[in-house]
Amino acid sequence: MPDINIIREHFPNNIIEAGKLDASFNIIEVLSFLKNCPELSFDMLLSIIAIDYIHYNELIYCLLSTHLNESIKVSVKMKNEAKSVTAIYKSAYFDECEIYDLFGIKFTGNPNLKRLLLPQSWAGHPLKKDYILNDERLKWNE
Amino acid sequence: MNKMTLNLGPQHPATHGVLRLIIDLDGEEVVSAEPDIGYLHRGMEKLAETRNYYQYLPMVDRIDYLSGFFYSYAFCNAVEELNHIKVPQKASYIRIMLMELNRISSHLLWFGTYLIDLGAISPIFYAFRERELIMDYFEKITGQRMMYNYFTFGGVRHDIPFFDDVQSIINTIGDKIGDYERLLSENPIFLDRTVNVGVISEKKATEWALTGPNLRASGVLSDFRVNMPIYDDIDFDIVLTNEGDCYSRYLVRIYEMRESIKIIQQCIQWLGQCSSRDLPFLEKVTLKTFPNQEVFSSVEAPRGLSMCYLNSIGGNTPYRVKWRTSSFYSTQILKDILVGVTVPEIMAIYGSLDVVLPEVDR
């Protein structure tokens, strides 16, 4: 974990729990601060992880600072709509398209949100917990 | 000039898989490029949710069939962290040795196929001749040539009896890497095709989240092996070049093979000691219940940083598994770096990024 005090000073209302910085209400501000702050300089967005908790969804942004060789996780909890971070980290584009494809989460501000892995005509979002497994082959060991 | 749209792939020999590139051309020059992926999507992450941990373990090798050990390691490490299992030191050394051999075999395959992309046919025969030694060794100890299923939760499945083989393999490969360099590193045709082609600046590499050799070729000192506890006792150097072109990506991989040989040498030394012969190679565990927790387990695979995110809410199946694979991001950057290059350079650039499609689509 990097120098937490700098983050605490700038964002006193954001909670850090279980090694993750919660930024559900100000993700854009937090990420642009983490990227541009010279003491932290988290210049790489490794990945965005989405998890469906049925009542809400969580996104975990994994950031890496190549200068300090440190990483941090920023989490966002929301229903079905999140803010796109492609303006801060270009690599977020594919991640956001994939999450839209598999979870149906819409990213406002993404330049061209479309299905990435599945065919454009696919119905439903398979990684959601309420997705019906209509393929018999998946049920063989249940 | 008339604009032309060229549809490259998905069945194109030089894409080494099923990548589709939609390229707009102005004469010979690329105006825009759009990678289209998903032709090999197997739903690895969804399949994890309907299987228990032991059933999912053999599948993770298939995420990237050229470096299966790394994905096995990432998943085993995640489960071990989740259950606080301590892996015996001997198993850690065996894992490192096999992973580094796997890195060499993966880089050798890249070396051969990349030169085919550039029109040089013979290097692949040399590269495969040496790769075959490693494949034979893997077959001897794991029973498989590609999908090993050899690492397990708490260690490795069997003990390794054959260390002399490894010593002779790395001696041979060490010599042959010198041959490859004599063949290519100053070859004027090869230099023409690669020097100053597909330059990725340091800034571009980080903002598109390149990792591994591609990132180090752009002059960013970042190797996840320095963060991995199992590499603590191992002494190795990080290979770094500054130019960021196809030629420096070639150089990084060639020198990384030498570093891997250095690491394997240290592992053999440790494992070959008489005192290590009777040490345990597997911590026997019975996994029935899992804690309510999430873990991030990363590994420096041949193509870059690979991460396994594992979320458990109890029970014997994972609640969510997510794979961060480096080729996914190496494919995305094509959108940016292909603009402005000419048609023959497309494959020189794409090949130099060492993309493996099953890893992109998962």
Side-chain angles (χ1 to χ4, degrees):
Chain A
M1 216 39 185
D3 199 346
I4 299 174
N5 291 332
I6 305 174
I7 303 167
R8 283 228 174 94
E9 236 169 67
H10 272 83
F11 301 103
N13 298 328
N14 290 53
I15 313 155
I16 300 173
E17 61 172 351
K20 290 182 293 187
L21 173 67
D22 188 275
S24 300
F25 54 93
N26 57 353
I27 181 68
I28 302 287
E29 289 81 11
V30 169
L31 286 194
S32 36
F33 172 75
L34 290 176
K35 188 186 179 187
N36 298 322
C37 173
E39 287 100 37
L40 300 169
S41 68
F42 285 100
D43 47 1
M44 194 186 280
L45 175 66
L46 279 178
S47 181
I48 308 176
I49 299 165
I51 307 129
D52 177 16
Y53 284 112
I54 301 170
H55 299 299
Y56 64 96
N57 293 308
E58 184 180 6
L59 296 176
I60 303 175
Y61 295 78
C62 304
L63 307 183
L64 176 78
S65 165
T66 52
H67 303 285
L68 306 173
N69 197 17
E70 300 217 57
S71 57
I72 191 173
K73 272 88 186 173
V74 181
S75 90
V76 170
K77 295 185 175 108
M78 38 82 221
K79 276 282 181 201
N80 266 325
E81 207 162 294
K83 281 182 185 146
S84 168
V85 298
T86 43
I88 307 165
Y89 295 104
K90 284 183 183 173
S91 66
Y93 173 68
F94 259 25
D95 278 313
E96 288 177 0
C97 288
E98 188 194 313
I99 291 168
Y100 165 70
D101 189 358
L102 302 176
F103 285 88
I105 297 169
K106 291 204 172 59
F107 287 89
T108 49
N110 187 304
N112 182 18
L113 199 65
K114 58 169 190 193
R115 282 187 184 273
L116 189 69
L117 297 174
L118 303 177
Q120 301 299 324
S121 56
W122 195 271
H125 303 284
L127 277 181
K128 285 193 81 68
K129 292 287 170 187
D130 60 2
Y131 185 75
I132 299 156
L133 294 174
N134 53 8
D135 190 337
E136 284 299 316
R137 286 171 298 178
L138 281 176
K139 290 184 183 162
W140 63 274
N141 61 348
E142 275 178 1
Chain B
M1 265 296 191
N2 279 337
K3 287 248 170 74
M4 186 175 94
T5 304
L6 181 70
N7 181 44
L8 197 92
Q11 276 81 30
H12 187 285
T15 57
H16 311 296
V18 278
L19 173 74
R20 178 172 169 232
L21 282 169
I22 305 154
I23 300 168
D24 285 332
L25 295 170
D26 181 0
E28 274 280 283
E29 203 184 296
V30 176
V31 180
S32 75
E34 185 67 42
D36 182 11
I37 61 171
Y39 291 90
L40 209 55
H41 181 56
R42 294 152 293 171
M44 277 287 178
E45 291 163 9
K46 187 70 187 172
L47 289 168
E49 293 171 13
T50 55
R51 275 154 178 75
N52 70 33
Y53 291 86
Y54 281 103
Q55 286 173 320
Y56 189 56
L57 183 59
M59 302 176 77
V60 298
D61 288 320
R62 275 102 177 137
I63 291 172
D64 177 3
Y65 52 80
L66 296 179
S67 55
F69 278 131
F70 292 88
Y71 287 85
S72 286
Y73 171 77
F75 186 64
C76 289
N77 189 43
V79 174
E80 281 151 11
E81 259 180 56
L82 198 64
N83 291 291
H84 310 290
I85 301 167
K86 206 177 169 303
V87 181
Q89 202 179 8
K90 187 178 179 185
S92 294
Y93 273 100
I94 293 174
R95 283 179 176 184
I96 297 174
M97 187 181 84
L98 293 176
M99 288 200 292
E100 293 302 327
L101 278 171
N102 206 176
R103 189 188 307 277
I104 295 177
S105 83
S106 172
H107 282 351
L108 281 174
L109 188 124
W110 168 82
F111 170 83
T113 51
Y114 182 49
L115 282 142
I116 282 199
D117 291 350
L118 297 180
I121 304 296
S122 50
I124 196 166
F125 301 123
Y126 302 133
F128 268 60
R129 184 183 59 193
E130 271 73 74
R131 186 170 175 268
E132 199 58 27
L133 299 173
I134 300 176
M135 293 283 113
D136 279 347
Y137 179 69
F138 285 166
E139 193 180 353
K140 212 177 200 175
I141 56 165
T142 70
Q144 293 272 12
R145 286 167 62 82
M146 282 175 121
M147 300 5 163
Y148 312 104
N149 190 19
Y150 179 66
F151 297 170
T152 185
F153 311 133
V156 295
R157 279 182 206 280
H158 322 285
D159 202 357
I160 293 189
F162 322 105
F163 295 114
D164 300 345
D165 297 16
V166 190
Q167 187 63 52
S168 73
I169 289 169
I170 58 174
N171 287 345
T172 317
I173 291 174
D175 291 347
K176 299 295 181 193
I177 293 171
D179 286 357
Y180 303 154
E181 281 202 275
R182 272 199 294 285
L183 188 67
L184 284 161
S185 292
E186 283 161 29
N187 182 326
I189 303 169
F190 180 63
L191 293 180
D192 258 9
R193 293 295 307 274
T194 54
V195 175
N196 284 328
V197 172
V199 179
I200 303 173
S201 65
E202 195 183 323
K203 188 169 173 286
K204 218 178 239 185
T206 49
E207 74 187 3
W208 286 103
L210 282 191
T211 46
N214 297 335
L215 180 66
R216 291 193 282 278
S218 296
V220 182
L221 188 72
S222 168
D223 189 325
F224 199 78
R225 276 179 287 181
V226 298
N227 297 11
M228 287 164 69
I230 63 163
Y231 279 90
D232 277 353
D233 301 332
I234 307 277
D235 171 45
F236 67 99
D237 295 326
I238 300 171
V239 185
L240 198 68
T241 57
N242 285 318
E243 285 74 24
D245 55 1
C246 296
Y247 184 66
S248 54
R249 287 193 277 280
Y250 156 81
L251 281 184
V252 166
R253 293 205 172 86
I254 290 285
Y255 283 98
E256 261 193 27
M257 287 198 264
R258 290 189 197 282
E259 288 304 316
S260 293
I261 290 176
K262 230 164 82 184
I263 296 173
I264 295 164
Q265 196 81 57
Q266 293 169 43
C267 293
I268 301 173
Q269 238 165 36
W270 193 93
L271 290 165
Q273 291 162 5
C274 302
S275 54
S276 78
R277 204 152 285 165
D278 301 322
L279 291 178
F281 55 88
L282 176 63
E283 172 82 29
K284 291 240 161 54
V285 283
T286 39
L287 301 174
K288 278 180 184 157
T289 50
F290 282 75
N292 189 348
Q293 206 192 332
E294 56 182 7
V295 285
F296 302 81
S297 150
S298 306
V299 62
E300 180 78 21
R303 274 157 270 282
L305 182 94
S306 296
M307 184 167 75
C308 173
Y309 168 80
L310 185 60
N311 188 330
S312 157
I313 55 159
N316 65 350
T317 53
Y319 186 74
R320 166 98 169 101
V321 172
K322 155 88 186 171
W323 289 95
R324 189 259 181 216
T325 55
S326 38
S327 296
F328 187 69
Y329 301 89
S330 310
T331 315
Q332 186 179 200
I333 198 177
L334 291 173
K335 216 163 48 161
D336 190 325
I337 57 172
L338 287 186
V339 175
V341 306
T342 54
V343 173
E345 285 170 359
I346 294 172
M347 279 308 151
I349 295 169
Y350 171 69
S352 75
L353 292 171
D354 193 11
V355 173
V356 166
L357 266 301
E359 202 191 36
V360 178
D361 297 339
R362 282 155 289 146

